[in-house]
Amino acid sequence: MKRKFKINRQVLRKSEEIFYRVLMILSTSIIIIALLAIIISILVKGIPSLSWSMISQTPKGGYYFGKEGGILNAIIGSLYLSFGATMLALVFSLPLALYMNIHKMKQKNVVNVIRFFLDLLWGIPSIVYGAFGFTIMVYFGLRTSLLAGIITVTLFIIPIMVRSMDEVLKTVPKGLLESAFSLGSTRSETAFRVMLRQCIPGMITAILLAFGRAIGDAAAVLFTAGYTDYIPNSLSQPTATLPLSVFFQLSSPIPEVQSRAYASAVVLTAIVLIISIASRGFSSRYQKNRIK
Amino acid sequence: MINGTKINIEDLNLYIGKKHILKDINVKIPEKKLTVILGPSGCGKTTLLKSLNRLTDLYPEVKTQGKIFNGTDDILHPNTEITELRKKMGLLAQSPYPLPMSIYDNITYGLRISGRRKKRYLNKRVEYYLRQVSLWEEVKDRLKDPASALSIGQQQRLCLARGLSVDPEIILADEPTSALDPVSSREIEELFLKLKQRYTIVMVTHILRQARRVADYVIFMYLGEIIEHGTAEQIFEHPQNPITKSYIKGTYS
Amino acid sequence: MKSLLVPSFKIRRNLRDKSSSFWMKCCYYLVLSMPFILLTGLLIKSSLLFGEKTFSELIFSSEWKPLSGKFGFLPFILSSLWITFISIAIAAPVCLLTAIYLTQYAKRFVLKVMHPVIDILAGIPSVIYGVWGIIIIVPFVSKVASWFNIHSSGYSILAGSVVLSVMVIPFVLNILIEVYRSIPIELSEASLSLGATKWETIKKVLTRKAFPGIISSFGLGISRAFGETIAVLMVVGNVVQIPKGIFQAGYPLPALIANNYGEMLSIPMYDSALMLAALILFIVVTFFNLGSRYLIMHYEKKV
């Protein structure tokens, strides 16, 4: 009698584990399926209306009623904007990341405070940055422009960039730093010659990550960069961006324009995927070259 | 001097990835004695200990060949009921890892898992095992406190009591004093000397003096092989192998 | 000659060290002051509205008529809450189960597949999620609604929540994987040695140990979901109403800001109202963000 009970318990314990394992495999598959569904649905809808003229021309007259033209303005605009923002963010992020890991190496409290603030800033939604940027713009009497877009996006990718760089620099063994100091190099020499050389692939990954964020974000540029059919040729002109071109074209009632929105989505997805794959390549190389 | 055999290891080979970690291990571990696995660090002592209750299953790259008999059951056989097998062996790790629950629940965890739920029975068992490791007087007023609130030495004794709670036949101890201060280490050693009347104890250590203090039987390992094994007297007084000799003399570097 | 060269070289080195250190300090202060600048900016802009209305009038009123100066935020706040919590309710179990699977059971090749999958999901721009939502989720929701005999266009709270849940999955999942990875393997070994099965070990020991981390990851997920704009805006319907069911359209706070930036300067107080929406977002998001981090830190200290 007792023996039977015991066997039942064993069966119960086993089947509970199997039940949950099935659930786990299911939820893992859900994630994979979701990704496939996103990419496939975008491709299926977008590929048919993707053409060379789509990506090599700016909108011509009547484009938004389904006439000729392309989204070159948005592609170039997005690249300008993201490139500008990434470069500008780099000017602030790299020194700060190095500062945290070299100058304040011994002051754990300072570093933790910076990390805390960066995490706080990272958490703030881009729409808030956008609204804030817009307010500042209005305050200074500026109009929507490439420059305003770049500044807003810079603010919002700085925490991303610094934190990713910080993660990379954190892994540099302290002994390497100390030996550099003991050879008599100044802190900035240590920073730029020793640390950076050790971490270049990881740094590039961090920069690419920030670039990917910059090119994909719509909410921050919605207010600040404006939208135009022309490729901007100065910082003070407004610029189109890819996410917004997808967004605007999709809200059009005309089917041709809508299908172009899908094609634009394919372009944007492709750019982001390329960046993601490139940064994977760098980070895996980084894993190999790192001194442990 | 050595009578019964508790564990019989035959032709055990263990690989992690392509690395050959344990090479042709053949040894018998005596019953109700304290067996010490001795050797320099990185020689595979801990791996040997963990393959005894198949904790090596946790590492996907590990491959084992050979046989380990506990009585007539082959531990490494894939059909072995692994939870029952592990219950026969209490484990004491390098540093204490109390489960994230109260002192009381740490002891009752194993019992509840095997289906014992009666409050009175559990209370009795908790007191019994805590007394076994002389912890009862220190903690009887705060059984509901989290186990992590205890001192390191107390935690290690709690872990020992937890291991005893499922009534094992064998205690596996992996350098159980390496995280402890000298006083707590001594307490653990004395407990082991007391417990070996009733349990077969296998202890890994690289501290020679500790081995001298407690061992009945010694297995000396070097680079994944058993170089020499025998009673404590044989190994410490008349070592045969030159490597063992130099290690015992303390000239090993 | 040589002795002359050395000092000037030294001075230059020192100068370079000083100037780069100075710039580093500037960046440091910039980051430290940024949250306060943001907060002050939003406060100043939205304070205009507080001059005329009371706090409860703004938060608990559901009347939104900017032209007649009526700004009741209740419909937007409720929509945001609904969408955020439903999306977390969907994402949380999926993330938890997947994290356990990937850290405890999965074979190496599964990990090799899942790492890029999570990375790519995290990197897909939110407008793409929106497009996907319009292509797949919106029609699907409409169909599901018809099973319940409810007429819905599909542009609804539910559609927004589903899209949002997929967006926060990589974010929450990465934290959870980190949480489970950081648990020492000795803890599993201890539990297994007592005769527990692997699942019992996970359920009773590991998940218990990970509990504060799990709660924090959900909190961080909430803070991420609450501010998401474009993707949700594209599928949620944007109708100002107090949502009464998941198949109805909603109008979350970020969408309110994004949709009306163009006209906000032409209507008095409208810009203040939108900045107040941004301020609410800022405060809620920061609250969940800091609360979750505090929980992790506090707990780590205790252990």
Side-chain angles (χ1 to χ4, degrees), chain A residues 2 6 9-10 13-14, chain B residues 81 84 113-115 117:
Chain A
K2 204 172 177 188
K6 205 173 174 187
R9 241 186 74 82
Q10 289 294 345
R13 285 167 81 184
K14 282 244 171 71
Chain B
E81 183 52 61
E84 290 304 309
I113 278 199
S114 34
R117 274 163 214 282

Side-chain angles (χ1 to χ4, degrees), chain A residues 236-286:
Chain A
S236 58
Q237 287 180 353
T239 180
T241 46
L242 263 177
L244 289 186
S245 88
V246 176
F247 181 56
F248 288 145
Q249 292 179 84
L250 202 57
S251 46
S252 153
I254 299 161
E256 284 86 358
V257 180
Q258 276 190 14
S259 61
R260 279 182 191 155
Y262 297 129
S264 314
V266 173
V267 175
L268 179 58
T269 312
I271 293 177
V272 170
L273 281 183
I274 289 168
I275 295 170
S276 164
I277 290 164
S279 72
R280 277 216 139 238
F282 276 112
S283 66
S284 64
R285 251 185 59 194
Y286 159 70

Side-chain angles (χ1 to χ4, degrees), chain A residues 13-235:
Chain A
R13 285 167 81 184
K14 282 244 171 71
S15 42
E16 186 185 323
E17 173 150 20
I18 292 169
F19 172 73
Y20 277 100
R21 269 186 86 155
V22 170
L23 279 189
M24 286 176 206
I25 293 172
L26 259 173
S27 39
T28 310
S29 330
I30 285 178
I31 295 178
I32 298 176
I33 291 168
L35 177 65
L36 290 179
I38 293 168
I39 292 182
I40 291 173
S41 64
I42 301 281
L43 288 182
V44 165
K45 280 275 195 174
I47 293 277
S49 37
L50 194 63
S51 65
W52 179 242
S53 65
M54 264 292 295
I55 52 177
S56 65
Q57 292 177 6
T58 54
K60 298 285 180 308
Y63 174 76
Y64 296 103
F65 299 101
K67 296 247 173 68
E68 277 181 15
I71 50 160
L72 187 67
N73 59 329
I75 297 174
I76 300 289
S78 257
L79 290 176
Y80 277 174
L81 186 106
S82 315
F83 189 74
T86 310
M87 286 301 124
L88 193 55
L90 189 60
V91 172
F92 294 95
S93 306
L94 187 58
L96 185 57
L98 291 170
Y99 182 73
M100 289 163 70
N101 285 283
I102 294 175
H103 294 62
K104 296 291 167 190
M105 191 173 101
K106 292 275 151 60
Q107 287 150 275
K108 278 267 147 45
N109 283 340
V110 178
V111 175
N112 284 338
V113 166
I114 307 179
R115 289 197 181 127
F116 176 83
F117 272 81
L118 288 169
D119 288 341
L120 193 162
L121 287 172
W122 194 341
I124 295 171
S126 64
I127 185 93
V128 174
Y129 282 102
F132 176 77
F134 183 75
T135 316
I136 297 296
M137 246 171 52
V138 173
Y139 183 77
F140 286 109
L142 295 171
R143 315 185 65 181
T144 55
S145 63
L146 183 55
L147 182 65
I150 286 177
I151 291 172
T152 314
V153 173
T154 301
L155 289 181
F156 132 86
I157 62 173
I158 281 178
I160 300 173
M161 207 188 259
V162 183
R163 277 305 258 135
S164 334
M165 289 180 166
D166 179 37
E167 290 299 319
V168 178
L169 292 174
K170 252 199 319 207
T171 63
V172 174
K174 292 281 174 287
L176 186 66
L177 277 183
E178 273 151 15
S179 57
F181 283 137
S182 65
L183 289 172
S185 36
T186 62
R187 291 182 301 189
S188 62
E189 280 169 350
T190 312
F192 288 103
R193 298 208 179 141
V194 182
M195 288 290 258
L196 274 192
R197 194 155 299 171
Q198 171 79 4
C199 299
I200 276 189
M203 292 307 198
I204 294 177
T205 305
I207 293 170
L208 285 177
L209 181 75
F211 186 83
R213 273 299 140 85
I215 209 166
D217 189 74
V221 293
L222 187 60
F223 299 88
T224 48
Y227 199 85
T228 163
D229 285 352
Y230 306 100
I231 295 170
N233 47 28
S234 86
L235 283 172

Side-chain angles (χ1 to χ4, degrees), chain B:
Chain B
M1 232 199 102
I2 304 295
N3 3 354
T5 295
K6 183 67 190 167
I7 303 172
N8 187 359
I9 306 175
E10 286 178 6
D11 301 322
L12 178 68
N13 277 287
L14 187 142
Y15 304 83
I16 299 181
K18 283 185 182 125
K19 265 197 204 150
H20 200 167
I21 302 291
L22 296 178
K23 299 167 191 162
D24 296 323
I25 305 289
N26 275 293
V27 73
K28 293 182 171 69
I29 292 173
E31 186 168 15
K32 295 198 177 152
K33 296 282 179 215
L34 202 157
T35 301
V36 164
I37 305 178
L38 190 65
S41 29
C43 67
K45 294 173 304 215
T46 301
T47 315
L48 177 59
L49 190 80
K50 286 189 177 165
S51 46
L52 292 184
N53 72 347
R54 277 195 29 200
L55 283 178
T56 44
D57 288 6
L58 289 182
Y59 307 88
E61 320 88 81
V62 170
K63 272 198 303 259
T64 42
Q65 296 160 356
K67 285 179 176 147
I68 301 177
F69 288 105
N70 173 16
T72 52
D73 308 334
D74 181 5
I75 292 170
L76 297 182
H77 196 278
N79 290 345
T80 304
E81 183 52 61
I82 197 162
T83 56
E84 290 304 309
L85 169 106
R86 285 189 179 132
K87 251 165 56 181
K88 291 183 188 158
M89 307 194 191
L91 177 81
L92 198 56
Q94 285 192 7
S95 43
Y97 285 94
L99 299 175
M101 38 189 95
S102 68
I103 298 170
Y104 182 91
D105 288 338
N106 258 278
I107 308 283
T108 56
Y109 178 80
L111 296 166
R112 281 175 205 263
I113 278 199
S114 34
R116 314 305 285 265
R117 274 163 214 282
K118 287 223 180 71
K119 199 85 190 161
R120 269 192 44 202
Y121 173 81
L122 294 178
N123 286 343
K124 259 199 203 110
R125 294 279 93 179
V126 168
E127 181 176 346
Y128 176 75
Y129 290 114
L130 286 176
R131 277 192 195 283
Q132 287 259 301
V133 298
S134 17
L135 198 60
W136 174 252
E137 293 301 325
E138 294 163 53
V139 302
K140 66 179 177 193
D141 300 324
R142 46 181 182 140
L143 291 173
K144 295 290 170 202
D145 283 11
S148 54
L150 296 173
S151 76
I152 295 280
Q154 289 173 325
Q155 285 186 21
Q156 191 67 319
R157 278 183 283 152
L158 178 70
C159 290
L160 182 55
R162 179 184 68 193
L164 297 178
S165 71
V166 287
D167 208 15
E169 298 162 3
I170 303 165
I171 298 172
L172 306 175
D174 181 11
E175 303 191 14
T177 61
S178 62
L180 306 184
D181 58 276
V183 178
S184 311
S185 303
R186 260 294 156 69
E187 282 171 346
I188 295 281
E189 282 176 23
E190 275 156 22
L191 279 172
F192 274 10
L193 292 175
K194 196 174 93 188
L195 290 170
K196 74 175 182 186
Q197 322 287 335
R198 302 180 36 210
Y199 303 95
T200 303
I201 302 179
V202 185
M203 180 167 109
V204 162
T205 187
H206 63 266
I207 310 168
L208 191 61
R209 280 189 298 165
Q210 185 172 54
R212 277 183 191 275
R213 281 196 295 267
V214 298
D216 296 317
Y217 196 82
V218 179
I219 297 172
F220 185 77
M221 287 186 75
Y222 186 71
L223 297 179
E225 285 178 83
I226 294 185
I227 301 270
E228 203 171 348
H229 60 97
T231 61
E233 203 195 328
Q234 278 168 3
I235 299 285
F236 290 130
E237 306 305 330
H238 316 289
Q240 302 297 316
N241 191 295
I243 302 173
T244 325
K245 257 182 211 166
S246 71
Y247 191 86
I248 302 284
K249 279 197 199 128
T251 52
Y252 172 86
S253 56

